Amino acid sequence: MALTKNKKVLDFVEESAALGQPDKIVWIDGSAAQIKALKEEAVKSGELIKLNENLLPDCYLHRTKVNDVARVEDRTFICTKNKEDAGPVNYWMDPKQAYELASEIARGSMKGRTMYVIPYSMGVVGSDFAKIGIEVTDSIYVVLNMNIMTRVGKQCLDSLGKNGDFIKGFHAKCDVDAEKRYIMHFPEDNTIISVNSAYGGNVLLGKKCFALRIASYLGKNEGWMAEHMLILGVTYPDGTKKYVAAAFPSACGKTNLAMLIPPEHYIKKGYKIECVGDDIAWIRVGDDGRLWAVNPENGFFGVAPGTNEHSNYNALQSTKRGTIFTNVALNTDDMTVWWEGLSKELPEHCIDWTGKPWNPEKFDKKDKSTCAAHPNSRFTAPAVNCPCVSPEFNSKKGVPLSAIIFGGRRASTTPLVYQSRDWNHGVFVGSAMSSETTAAATGATGVLRHDPMAMKPFAGYHMGDYFQHWIDMGKKVKNPPKIFNVNWFRQDENGNFMWPGFGDNMRVLEWILKRCDENPVDADETAIGYVPKAEDIDISELDYDISEGKKFDLNALKEILTVDKEKWYKEAEEIENYYNTAIRSRIPAELWESLDTLKKNCYVEKPAAKKTTAAKTTAKKPAAKTTKVATAKPAAKKPATKKSK
Ligand code: OXD
Ligand code: MN
């Protein structure tokens, strides 16, 4: 029975049913009884495998089809009337063509099945931040995951009332045919359509599709921001709390940073980290002129491999009840789950993520095809399970941000941490982010690519306009957070990680927040921004072997704080090339200015002996000759035909 009198909702459900032609329609009211019955039904049909009730109460395992294990960026479309509005880094489809294509694919695909109607809220129901979505789907797996990841049920419809607007989401599994898989967004119609997939990032429509792609578009029009960011709170020994939001590309450690456990001596002093969110932040300007952030989600859709007691105790604890695991291995000895990195010992009897018996003797860490769990296997865990979930998790107001951090996987060039000179320069730093690709999306992994603000796959409109929106937001905020960049992934010449990462990132966080104090700790002004004086990062009680016989020490820290101007000049040229060839238009003038400054700051004239390289690096520079840092401005080459705003 319909749970609402909202005509727009009823019409959407009717139209969806007319298209999918399900045998039955079930409205999800979010009651425990209904969810329990659905789990039982999914276990009966084999869609879910019930895990050991004593060891993992109310936990289940699901396996996707082998062709359906990650987000599919090349099949994800932004369907705006004007192609230019989707921008050059998104795939675009004409809305009319997209609706027709989706209808053709989905027509009658729910025959013999049930269509579930999921009313859900992104954000605390009834808060200023919250937005309501309705997802129709023919997958129980989607219902159960949405029930963890969002706030689901009748209260969402009640908050819509008779006339309220919502985001429409239509999902049909169809035949999970990769060739007919489409994830379509219609930002101008508040609509999402997903067909032929059952992988979380493509089908839990509240997450990437709504809370990032559609929401980023809404944010631009309504004056707020939807970002691919974790939010964490630092509690100081005197009880003061400060909050930070941080953007990293997919599978680059957002969940780990959000749930970090500080080194022992910090804990003893009384420091604590609390997690507000691990993936998405919605950010608004508060009455006090600061930026305030909420996590619109209600759970964690985390990457399983590599998660263990030491790397992320809190995430692991979060998966101990009420969790759905996807594409991990099943330990048949005790009906629990396993993935690479969960324990050093390999389980003797496992079924791998494809459903076949796994042979631990054939396991080779470097060969993904021998893994028991898929590299992008996931856990969907309720946020309430997390031992360090913030008391502000359900706050309607959100939390005030002291700092925004950008970061990516960079083996070289980018120092451990640096601070931008101001907001606009911070926007430039975010726009210039690049990182090595991971298994979260289909395609090759480990390839360095530009991923501005970690939003390349998620900005629902033109990337140049998105940069402009950041610049515009800066003008609205009287007390903006300071903007930083971090890189936990610097490697030495032998490929060893030079920074321990994980809990020790607390040491960097502490410095970042000291820079946000009224009387900030001092820093060195360099060509790229403010870099810490090595002595100001606490490395006491740090015991880390970079490689055999090479311990991390002050010199190693100095090394990863070094700014190599030559490398940064190349980086600047690379950014310039990216702006000119990938984004092409609508890049704000403020970003060109920052790029010019970077080039100017990093220009080092080559000694005569290195003539060939010197000739190459100066090729794009103005003729003026200088010593050391050029005083002449090596201006960035903007597109000649289009004016930047
Ligand atoms: C995610 C992703 O699932 O970024 O969070 O892919
Ligand atoms: Mn993500």
Side-chain angles (χ1 to χ4, degrees):
M1 212 189 55
L3 295 180
T4 181
K5 292 204 164 60
N6 183 307
K7 172 110 172 48
K8 296 174 206 164
V9 175
L10 296 174
D11 286 351
F12 170 58
V13 171
E14 200 181 303
E15 282 159 24
S16 303
L19 180 63
Q21 300 163 30
D23 285 9
K24 217 165 83 179
I25 298 176
V26 170
W27 288 72
I28 301 300
D29 60 17
S31 66
Q34 188 185 41
I35 294 298
K36 182 167 178 277
L38 286 172
K39 285 174 181 166
E40 282 165 8
E41 193 180 329
V43 169
K44 222 158 142 199
S45 70
E47 198 169 345
L48 293 183
I49 295 168
K50 173 98 182 86
L51 299 170
N52 186 319
E53 183 59 24
N54 291 325
L55 299 173
L56 292 170
D58 195 24
C59 290
Y60 300 84
L61 168 65
H62 172 80
R63 297 189 191 113
T64 64
K65 267 193 160 186
V66 294
N67 75 11
D68 190 31
V69 291
R71 284 184 291 98
V72 279
E73 294 183 6
D74 57 345
R75 307 200 69 93
T76 297
F77 293 86
I78 302 295
C79 310
T80 43
K81 284 193 201 95
N82 179 354
K83 181 174 181 186
E84 178 69 1
D85 290 341
V89 301
N90 280 317
Y91 291 90
W92 174 84
M93 203 185 287
D94 170 62
K96 189 164 168 289
Q97 186 200 340
Y99 281 124
E100 275 169 18
L101 179 62
S103 300
E104 207 177 285
I105 292 170
R107 189 162 299 117
S109 69
M110 294 181 183
K111 273 186 192 147
R113 309 172 62 89
T114 300
M115 184 179 90
Y116 302 94
V117 181
I118 316 170
Y120 66 96
S121 176
M122 298 313 293
V124 178
V125 183
S127 71
D128 286 351
F129 278 94
K131 297 217 176 266
I132 303 294
I134 309 286
E135 175 166 357
V136 298
T137 175
D138 56 355
S139 157
I140 295 187
Y141 171 78
V142 168
V143 175
L144 296 175
N145 275 271
M146 284 292 284
N147 186 54
I148 296 172
M149 292 306 296
T150 72
R151 293 155 173 99
V152 161
K154 181 146 183 339
Q155 74 279 17
C156 304
L157 292 167
D158 294 344
S159 97
L160 264 189
K162 269 196 165 165
N163 283 310
D165 283 319
F166 59 97
I167 305 298
K168 296 175 192 164
F170 177 93
H171 167 242
K173 243 166 93 169
C174 305
D175 305 318
V176 197
D177 177 350
E179 298 301 315
K180 292 188 183 155
R181 184 168 298 152
Y182 292 97
I183 322 298
M184 298 161 163
H185 305 73
F186 304 83
E188 290 147 352
D189 299 344
N190 284 339
T191 298
I192 305 156
I193 299 178
S194 167
V195 287
N196 273 303
S197 175
Y199 167 73
N202 302 326
V203 298
L204 308 180
L205 300 186
K207 193 172 176 62
K208 302 298 182 184
C209 302
F210 175 176
L212 287 176
R213 298 195 189 96
I214 297 285
S216 60
Y217 175 82
L218 293 175
K220 175 188 69 127
N221 293 336
E222 296 170 4
W224 56 281
M225 303 162 94
E227 299 298 330
H228 193 201
M229 288 179 178
L230 66 92
I231 310 165
L232 65 79
V234 179
T235 307
Y236 286 78
D238 67 358
T240 320
K241 289 187 191 238
K242 286 188 181 157
Y243 295 92
V244 165
F248 297 84
S250 307
C252 285
K254 282 203 297 297
T255 309
N256 291 343
L257 184 60
M259 299 179 189
L260 167 161
I261 298 182
E264 199 62 36
H265 68 291
Y266 279 87
I267 298 178
K268 280 196 188 130
K269 278 191 232 160
Y271 283 88
K272 201 163 71 179
I273 297 290
E274 286 166 342
C275 170
V276 181
D278 80 327
D279 196 40
I280 298 176
W282 283 3
I283 303 172
R284 287 177 184 273
V285 186
D287 297 337
D288 58 358
R290 291 189 288 176
L291 283 181
W292 289 69
V294 299
N295 167 15
E297 301 192 281
N298 204 24
F300 308 119
F301 184 60
V303 179
T307 307
N308 61 48
E309 291 233 330
H310 309 288
S311 66
N312 195 337
Y313 168 84
N314 288 316
L316 194 62
Q317 284 308 111
S318 308
T319 67
K320 294 296 182 196
R321 60 173 57 241
T323 292
I324 298 174
F325 297 91
T326 303
N327 291 342
V328 300
L330 175 66
N331 184 337
T332 46
D333 283 336
D334 59 3
M335 289 303 280
T336 59
V337 284
W338 192 81
W339 50 77
E340 281 66 26
L342 176 61
S343 58
K344 281 213 177 94
E345 318 71 54
L346 308 182
E348 272 177 48
H349 301 111
C350 253
I351 307 281
D352 73 13
W353 70 275
T354 67
K356 296 200 191 79
W358 182 65
N359 185 350
E361 274 155 33
K362 290 208 175 133
F363 175 59
D364 170 5
K365 242 191 342 211
K366 289 189 206 113
D367 179 357
K368 296 267 182 258
S369 71
T370 66
C371 287
H374 187 273
N376 191 37
S377 53
R378 300 279 178 146
F379 52 80
T380 317
V384 286
N385 284 1
C386 180
C388 69
V389 71
S390 166
E392 299 303 319
F393 180 77
N394 282 316
S395 156
K396 291 191 168 173
K397 221 165 105 199
V399 295
L401 296 180
S402 298
I404 286 178
I405 304 174
F406 295 119
R409 278 176 194 268
R410 294 297 305 266
S412 73
T413 313
T414 311
L416 177 65
V417 57
Y418 68 98
Q419 183 189 351
S420 67
R421 287 184 293 275
D422 53 31
W423 177 271
N424 285 351
H425 178 229
V427 178
F428 168 74
V429 170
S431 80
M433 263 170 74
S434 42
S435 187
E436 288 156 27
T437 49
T438 66
T442 52
T445 58
V447 179
L448 192 65
R449 74 162 185 184
H450 285 273
D451 191 351
M453 282 87 169
M455 282 288 278
K456 179 193 175 293
F458 307 121
Y461 60 103
H462 194 296
M463 193 53 88
D465 291 345
Y466 169 77
F467 295 161
Q468 185 65 53
H469 182 51
W470 266 83
I471 298 285
D472 294 344
M473 286 297 294
K475 292 181 190 141
K476 288 192 199 170
V477 205
K478 253 198 341 270
N479 304 308
K482 307 267 188 296
I483 301 182
F484 298 80
N485 193 90
V486 298
N487 178 22
W488 316 134
F489 300 94
R490 270 287 277 265
Q491 291 175 21
D492 68 9
E493 57 293 346
N494 300 316
N496 301 304
F497 287 113
M498 295 177 73
W499 173 250
F502 300 105
D504 288 308
N505 292 336
M506 178 70 204
R507 302 167 188 272
V508 177
L509 263 184
E510 189 190 23
W511 181 82
I512 285 175
L513 288 171
K514 277 188 188 163
R515 288 291 294 167
C516 301
D517 279 348
E518 251 171 60
N519 296 309
V521 64
D522 205 5
D524 289 331
E525 188 163 2
T526 72
I528 62 170
Y530 299 107
V531 171
K533 293 183 183 300
E535 298 71 20
D536 288 331
I537 293 195
D538 173 6
I539 55 165
S540 60
E541 297 182 37
L542 202 167
D543 185 16
Y544 176 64
D545 295 322
I546 297 174
S547 56
E548 225 179 272
K550 185 160 187 237
K551 284 241 167 269
F552 187 87
D553 59 11
L554 194 64
N555 284 334
L557 178 60
K558 282 183 179 158
E559 209 177 318
I560 55 175
L561 289 174
T562 308
V563 176
D564 179 329
K565 282 192 186 174
E566 210 171 306
K567 285 195 178 143
W568 272 98
Y569 192 86
K570 286 206 185 101
E571 184 84 7
E573 286 185 318
E574 172 48 38
I575 298 163
E576 180 178 3
N577 185 43
Y578 176 66
Y579 277 8
N580 279 325
T581 58
I583 314 245
R584 298 199 293 270
S585 64
R586 305 193 188 187
I587 296 177
E590 291 83 348
L591 299 196
W592 287 114
E593 267 162 39
S594 286
L595 180 57
D596 279 347
T597 307
L598 180 63
K599 286 185 90 177
K600 186 184 85 180
N601 287 354
C602 296
Y603 176 43
V604 183
E605 198 186 5
K606 296 284 167 309
K610 283 192 187 170
K611 223 172 175 174
T612 34
T613 358
K616 202 166 156 238
T617 42
T618 50
K620 287 185 190 166
K621 289 175 207 151
K625 286 258 154 67
T626 52
T627 46
K628 287 196 181 150
V629 180
T631 47
K633 294 187 179 85
K637 279 195 184 162
K638 299 170 210 174
T641 46
K642 286 175 193 131
K643 252 191 101 173
S644 330
K645 277 190 211 163

